[in-house]
Every structure is written in C-alpha cells, then in structure tokens.
Amino acid sequence: MTYLLQQVLNALQLGSIYALIALGYTMVYGILTMINFAHGDLFMVGAFFCFLAATFLHLPFVPTLLIAMIGVALLGVLIERFAYKPLRQAPRVSAIITALGVGIFLENFTLVFAPYPQHVPTLIKNTTWVVGGVSISSLQLIIIALSLVLMAFLDFIVRKTMVGMAMRAISWDKAIVPLMGIPLNLVISATFALGTSLGGAAGVMYALAFPVIDPYMGILIGWKAFIAAVVGGIGNIRGAMIGGFILGGVEILVAAFLPSTYRDFVAFTLLLVLLIFRPYGILGKPRPQKV
Amino acid sequence: MKKAAWFLGLILIFSILLSACTGGAGQAKTIKVGVIAELTGDIPAVGASCKNAAEMAVQQINDAGGLDVGGTKYMVELYIEDNAGKADQSASSAQKLITQQNVVAIIGPNASRYAIPASEIAESSKVVLISPWSTNPKTTLNANTNESKKYVFRAAFIDPFQGRVVAKFALDNLNAKKAAVLYDVASEYNKGIAEFFKSTYEENGGTVVAFETYTTGDKDFSAQLTKIKEAGPEVIFLPNYYSEVPLQIQQAHRLGIDVPFLGSDSWGSTELITLCGSDCEGYYFSTHYAADAATPEATKFIEAYKAKYGNTPDDVAALTFDSFGLLWQALQTAGKVDREAVRDALAKISKYEGVTGNMSFTEGSGDPIKSAVILQIKGDKFVWFANANP
C-alpha cells in the first residue's frame, strides 16, 4: 500500500509537469490550429533562464520563476511574430516545419553557450517527511501545488475574462471575429504569452526537481507532452491537464508493476488504444472541416 | 549574373590549385591521423578531454621534430571531427576521415554507442581505428561472425572484465549480498556492463534483487527507484554516464535510499562532482587509472597536461594519450606509413608502457590485456582505493 501511494505521488509530480507543457501545445492549437513543435525547446529555455537567474543573479525562487516565465513568454511572442505570423495564410505544413526549425535553432543557440550539462543550484531547501512509510519531499509538494495553482489561474483567465472570451471566439472563427473589433494579433500574442509562460514555469520546476539541464532536454519531454495534449483532446484546455496526468500516471505505474524496460512500449500502446476509441481525445470534439 | 558565374569559377579554380599544392608538398613528410570526438551532444566533457589529449600528443611529436619512421622524420597532421553525440554522425565522420582526409589511422570515438558504428566503417575500409574509452566487447567483435575485427583496437579494458571487477568488489569489499542495478537500456555500454555485473554477481553468491532500466534522455527515475527501495538492496550499481548519475543519486536520496552506490568508468569525469555536489561523497567506481597513485609515465603525462590545460586529466584524456602512444609505437615498428603495415605492427605489440598501465595485444583480438583500479569519491577528488588485475 505504501508502495502504491509512493508511486502515485511520483506520478502526480511527473504528470503535473507534463500537464503544464501540454497546455502550451493545446492553447496554440486551439487558436491557430497549428502545432508549435518548438514548445518543448521553450520549456528548455525556461530551465536555462532559471539556471541563469539562480547562478549569476543569486535570486531566490519566486523572482527566478517570474523571470523565467516572463522571459519565455516574450520569446514565445517574438517567435510567433517573426516565424509564424508570416506563414499564417500558408499551408499548415509550412508552419509546422517552421516550428521544428525554430526548435532546432533554440537547441543549437543554447548549445553555443552551454555545451556542457549545467547544474542548477538548490533554490528550495528540500526536506523529506516520512508519513506512514511514504517519503514526501517538500519539492514534490511545491511542484504539484504550484502546477495546480497555475492551471486554475489559466482556466480562470480563459473562462472568466475578456481576453479569454476573445481567445475562445477567435478559435471559433478567425475570419468573422476580427470584424467585431477584436484585435486578432493582440489576442494571438496573448495566447502565445500565456501558453509559453506555463512552459517556462514547467522548465523551472523541472530544473529544480532534476537539477542537471542540457540543451536537448526539451525534445523528449516536449514529444511526451504533445502526446498528452492529443490524448486529452488537442485544443481543449482541461483536456490537456487531464492528458498530462494520465500520461504521467500510466508511465509511472507501468514501470512500478511491470519490468521497466516495457515502460514506454506499454504506456504508448495504452494511449494508442485510447485514441482508437476516442480519436479526438478524452475531452476533444470532432471539428468539421470547413470548405 | 554572368560576372558572378565567372567569379565563382575563378574561386573554384584557385581553390583546386591551392589544395593540390598543399596536398602535393605535404604528402611525402606527414602522417595524417584522424580523431572522432564527442565535442557536442550529451557527453561533451568526454570529447573535450579526448581533443585536449590528442592535441597534446601530436604537439609533443611535432615539437620534437616529428616521428622517426623507418629513418625518415614525419610531422603529424591531426584532423578532428565532431560526432555531435550521434551514432550516424560517427559513421559519417569515419567515412570522411578515410576517404577525404586519407588518414592512416583513426583515434576515437570514445563512447561504445558511437565507437561501434564507426568501427564498422573502419573495418570495411581496412583502416586502423583505436577507440580510447569504449569498453563494450562489440566494438572490436564482429556481431555476425563473433570473430575479432581485424582493424579495430582499443586502449581500454572491456566490460566483462569491468563488470566482474565491480561485482567482486561489491561482494568482497562491501560485503553486500543483495544488489540493485539501474541502467540505460538504449545504450550499448550501460546495458552490456549491467548484464556482466549481474551474471558475475550471481555466480559468486550474490542476489540481484532489482534490475531496472530507463532510456536515454529520461530525467525522472522515481518509479524505478521506488521499486528498488522496495526490494531492499545493500548496494546499488549505476553503470551510467556522468551527466545522469547525479540525478539518479539525488532522487534516490530524496526517496530515502541510503545504501552505497557503485559505478563504472563512465563516472570518471570531474564534471560528476560538479553536478553531484555532496550527494556522491564516499561512493566507488572502477576505472582505468588513478591520478594520485601514478607510475612515472603517468606522472609525466599528468604534469604536462596540467601545465597545458590547467586541470587534472581524466581517464579519457589518459586513454586518448595512450592510443596515440600505441599508434606511434606501431608506426615505428612498421617502419613505413602504410595502413596495412600499421595494423600488423599494432596487433603484435607485446609490451607498451602507458599512462594507464602496461598493455599488450595478442593476434586475433583488438582488446589489450591490462588492469583496472577502484576509486572512491572524497570531497572534490577521486582517490585510489584498490587495484584489480585481470
């Protein structure tokens, strides 16, 4: 029993990081119907912002988190403005290839400055409590709690504010909504800023939990988060959160009860089966193709 | 448009002439040696050490007026290729060095997962390749026929030996009868050594209570470590690279695991201590040489390396330097700069006194006969703990 509880805690920690990154994919898809494959690398840049702020400016946790979130948000907006906007009318494939290119650019740009894996200093003093045989670290609790707070905040913005309403409207119809006086570019920029800042926050938490970072760290986790977004129903914000936790849970529990060599194989087979029965994801709705 | 074409044509002609000149004049008196190193990618510290030691080995020869082969002094020209930490790029680097640069021999790549593909190219092109640091048997063995590759050599001992050394150490020195292993199943080196450890450990009366895996790039090991904790081992073996080991040990400590950890030669970079902080204090790993218990050859090398680069050479640097030493000795024995003659001479080296100890080769195997050491991490240093002979 304690073993299971321990693994559930592990799954919550991993799942909350997947969920935060998956949100970035899903928001961009929701508004532009394009997959921002550079998102995993923006997550990596977030981890590096955390490293820079903590190592060279010696800042504590909260300012570091804010710097990383704002920095990555600005970078996301810039990328949208200069790399994706000129292609908004181009075929979808061109935008996706551009996104891959942006990702490779970010990796290699970081590589120039940090060819070695870097060590992120401890920002939160870690204490481990043992409750009934289950080891709970303060870091684990902070990551889970902070992710939940950020997700609730995002959910609030999208559902209850004017900006959120504009985002939902634009994802509904990009041609008519601007005619109602809604600034299209501004809303798209805001979407990118929100989505990527969550990726940046995930980067910071990841760097704190796993304090060795390198320029390629975003690739694998970016793919996994993308899968989480698809499983939850891409374009749906609550779906991305659920998808992130499902993927984290499946990965950890497969490794916990089967030989760990089968982990990715079994985990992704399960997800594929899920997609056979729900091809639009758990909360996704079929979108009729407009002609 | 026409002007531009003319201009390009002129440049082309000049560059051809230029390369023809340098090629023609230098050919008679130089030996071209290629190096493939992991300068970028996931283990750049390995590539950097390899490059440093290679440049130092060549500089020492050139500063002394060249290498005396069959009565003629040859200068050495070094071509360094980056394999970017990728298996396919290792193979294409080998191809490039052989066909374009026309090197007489290749040193590197270091990690087994890159050395194996590169060795296939060298073997089929009949060019000598010496991998300094690769310890997986498949580097020098042909996977299909299970026979030794004719043109591939190494300066390091092999994983079965290393697995045996660590397993015996865990049983005899640490008195641990229950061990757990966590390794990267997608990497040849890690997988090989984990399996050799397991078989020796169980043959000698120990039990492997958990044998867990992950894949390259994973950072979250919590599921596997929780499982390992549940199995209750007395020692944990992590035959993984220096960039991953700190994460594994830190996460294990966070889960409340407090048994000693053991490692293999992939731990031997000082980067490990930087990344690990105090978490790795007191743990042991097997490796190729100990900088603090050095022979005269080793001391000479360590002093020279320190003077040139300002830090203590790690095992990759020492093994790279030894690979060059082996190559020089083979060239001198062969008496001519010829790929085939170098191979024959190399296979017959009966004694080479290197930085990492004495080595000898026997015909029919590219693996040297040599010993290993066990080091312990103390503060920010690796300290000699025990010797292990074949």
Side-chain angles (χ1 to χ4, degrees):
Chain A
M1 195 57 206
T2 53
Y3 177 64
L4 183 68
L5 277 177
Q6 182 80 64
Q7 295 287 19
V8 167
L9 202 62
N10 294 339
L12 278 177
Q13 181 188 346
L14 188 63
S16 55
I17 288 175
Y18 283 153
L20 274 185
I21 308 171
L23 281 171
Y25 281 104
T26 230
M27 288 182 71
V28 170
Y29 185 86
I31 202 154
L32 288 179
T33 53
M34 120 178 212
I35 295 155
N36 180 14
F37 274 117
H39 193 63
D41 297 299
L42 283 164
F43 154 83
M44 174 276 291
V45 173
F48 269 88
F49 273 135
C50 164
F51 163 71
L52 292 176
T55 313
F56 297 111
L57 305 176
H58 304 287
L59 292 174
F61 174 62
V62 176
T64 304
L65 181 72
L66 288 178
I67 283 180
M69 285 178 74
I70 295 169
V72 175
L74 282 178
L75 190 61
V77 171
L78 280 178
I79 288 172
E80 195 279 323
R81 179 66 190 75
F82 291 104
Y84 303 155
K85 195 180 163 215
L87 292 168
R88 216 175 274 164
Q89 307 306 326
R92 201 66 72 227
V93 168
S94 313
I96 290 177
I97 292 173
T98 308
L100 285 170
V102 169
I104 294 171
F105 169 78
L106 289 177
E107 281 156 30
N108 287 287
F109 186 79
T110 317
L111 192 68
V112 173
F113 294 103
Y116 292 90
Q118 302 291 335
H119 176 69
V120 180
T122 321
L123 287 178
I124 300 173
K125 185 105 184 69
N126 189 44
T127 35
T128 308
W129 299 286
V130 181
V131 183
V134 180
S135 302
I136 306 171
S137 74
S138 52
L139 199 59
Q140 224 165 10
L141 289 185
I142 288 174
I143 287 176
I144 298 170
L146 191 60
S147 309
L148 291 176
V149 167
L150 284 173
M151 283 186 247
F153 181 60
L154 179 80
D155 203 65
F156 172 76
I157 289 183
V158 172
R159 278 169 200 273
K160 305 278 177 202
T161 63
M162 285 301 275
V163 186
M165 197 198 275
M167 282 176 189
R168 282 180 290 139
I170 285 175
S171 86
W172 194 257
D173 195 319
K174 254 200 295 295
I176 304 294
V177 173
L179 299 179
M180 318 281 181
I182 292 172
L184 179 72
N185 290 332
L186 209 62
V187 175
I188 290 181
S189 290
T191 313
F192 263 87
L194 270 178
T196 50
S197 67
L198 291 183
V204 173
M205 287 184 236
Y206 201 71
L208 293 182
F210 314 119
V212 176
I213 60 172
D214 64 82
Y216 298 115
M217 65 189 271
I219 303 176
L220 191 70
I221 196 156
W223 286 346
K224 287 190 175 169
F226 168 61
I227 292 165
V230 172
V231 164
I234 194 151
N236 186 305
I237 286 177
R238 287 185 178 170
M241 300 177 194
I242 296 175
F245 282 107
I246 288 183
L247 183 65
V250 168
E251 272 198 352
I252 296 275
L253 294 178
V254 168
F257 294 104
L258 294 172
S260 42
T261 317
Y262 300 142
R263 188 193 61 187
D264 288 355
F265 165 65
V266 176
F268 289 105
T269 310
L270 282 178
L271 298 179
L272 270 179
V273 170
L274 193 141
L275 284 180
I276 289 175
F277 292 105
R278 289 212 49 104
Y280 296 97
I282 294 169
L283 293 187
K285 288 184 189 71
R287 239 179 221 247
Q289 197 74 45
K290 276 172 265 181
V291 183
Chain B
M1 191 60 219
K2 217 170 172 188
K3 245 183 185 166
W6 263 105
F7 188 66
L8 279 178
L10 269 178
I11 287 181
L12 201 72
I13 291 167
F14 268 117
S15 56
I16 290 170
L17 279 176
L18 211 66
S19 63
C21 283
T22 50
Q27 214 152 40
K29 293 281 181 208
T30 59
I31 302 173
K32 294 179 179 179
V33 183
V35 168
I36 306 174
E38 295 80 351
L39 296 177
T40 56
D42 56 349
I43 45 170
V46 169
S49 289
C50 176
K51 179 170 175 267
N52 285 349
E55 281 170 348
M56 195 174 103
V58 169
Q59 197 195 356
Q60 285 185 358
I61 291 291
N62 287 347
D63 285 352
L67 186 72
D68 192 348
V69 179
T72 329
K73 287 267 188 189
Y74 287 89
M75 297 300 268
V76 180
E77 243 180 274
L78 193 63
Y79 294 92
I80 299 178
E81 286 287 320
D82 175 20
N83 69 6
K86 291 187 182 120
D88 55 341
Q89 210 155 320
S90 306
S92 61
S93 297
Q95 197 87 52
K96 183 177 168 199
L97 287 171
I98 292 166
T99 54
Q100 287 180 27
Q101 263 80 27
N102 209 13
V103 296
V104 67
I106 297 173
I107 311 286
N110 292 293
S112 295
R113 58 177 184 249
Y114 314 131
I116 293 169
S119 75
E120 300 291 337
I121 303 288
E123 177 74 3
S124 58
S125 317
K126 299 188 193 297
V127 176
V128 169
L129 180 140
I130 309 174
S131 172
W133 197 53
S134 164
T135 49
N136 191 294
K138 285 184 205 151
T139 306
T140 53
L141 273 190
N142 185 328
N144 297 325
T145 59
N146 237 3
E147 275 171 22
S148 188
K149 286 177 191 157
K150 204 175 159 206
Y151 295 88
V152 184
F153 298 84
R154 71 173 101 219
F157 47 65
I158 56 174
D159 288 339
F161 171 63
Q162 192 175 188
R164 210 157 58 229
V165 165
V166 181
K168 288 247 175 79
F169 178 79
L171 285 167
D172 302 341
N173 296 46
L174 299 182
N175 244 331
K177 298 289 173 231
K178 287 196 285 181
V181 184
L182 174 67
Y183 67 97
D184 181 354
V185 75
S187 172
E188 300 266 6
Y189 165 84
N190 313 41
K191 188 165 174 277
I193 198 161
E195 279 159 6
F196 295 119
F197 172 86
K198 186 171 187 242
S199 60
T200 318
Y201 194 74
E202 289 183 337
E203 272 164 31
N204 288 289
T207 330
V208 175
V209 289
F211 200 62
E212 294 298 314
T213 64
Y214 62 95
T215 43
T216 320
D218 280 357
K219 299 245 159 117
D220 183 280
F221 310 101
S222 55
Q224 292 94 323
L225 288 169
T226 305
K227 218 167 155 182
I228 286 175
K229 187 188 174 194
E230 194 70 7
E234 288 159 8
V235 64
I236 299 175
F237 181 43
L238 301 174
N240 306 318
Y241 288 101
Y242 69 86
S243 51
E244 303 161 328
V245 170
L247 287 176
Q248 291 157 0
I249 293 183
Q250 281 160 359
Q251 287 179 40
H253 285 171
R254 232 180 277 155
L255 283 168
I257 298 174
D258 55 359
V259 298
F261 287 84
L262 288 177
S264 50
D265 64 311
S266 51
W267 282 32
S269 167
T270 41
E271 282 284 301
L272 179 84
I273 295 171
T274 321
L275 298 176
C276 211
S278 60
D279 275 304
C280 293
E281 179 70 23
Y283 299 149
Y284 308 90
F285 64 98
S286 68
T287 191
H288 307 271
Y289 95 121
D292 61 334
T295 57
E297 279 82 21
T299 318
K300 221 167 72 190
F301 163 73
I302 293 167
E303 300 283 295
Y305 192 94
K306 267 190 188 157
K308 196 160 156 53
Y309 300 110
N311 53 359
T312 314
D314 55 16
D315 56 340
V316 180
L319 289 168
T320 307
F321 195 77
D322 275 352
S323 304
F324 276 93
L326 285 166
L327 182 64
W328 305 152
Q329 189 168 334
L331 276 162
Q332 283 173 325
T333 323
K336 54 183 171 181
V337 183
D338 173 68
R339 288 171 174 174
E340 202 65 32
V342 168
R343 189 226 87 93
D344 291 339
L346 194 53
K348 287 197 199 79
I349 288 181
S350 59
K351 190 176 184 199
Y352 169 75
E353 288 175 15
V355 174
T356 60
N358 290 349
M359 287 182 228
S360 62
F361 285 97
T362 46
E363 183 66 64
S365 165
D367 307 327
I369 300 162
K370 62 188 294 191
S371 58
V373 292
I374 300 272
L375 301 187
Q376 187 180 24
I377 300 170
K378 271 192 181 160
D380 58 349
K381 280 202 177 66
F382 299 141
V383 182
W384 178 85
F385 190 80
N387 267 355
N389 290 314

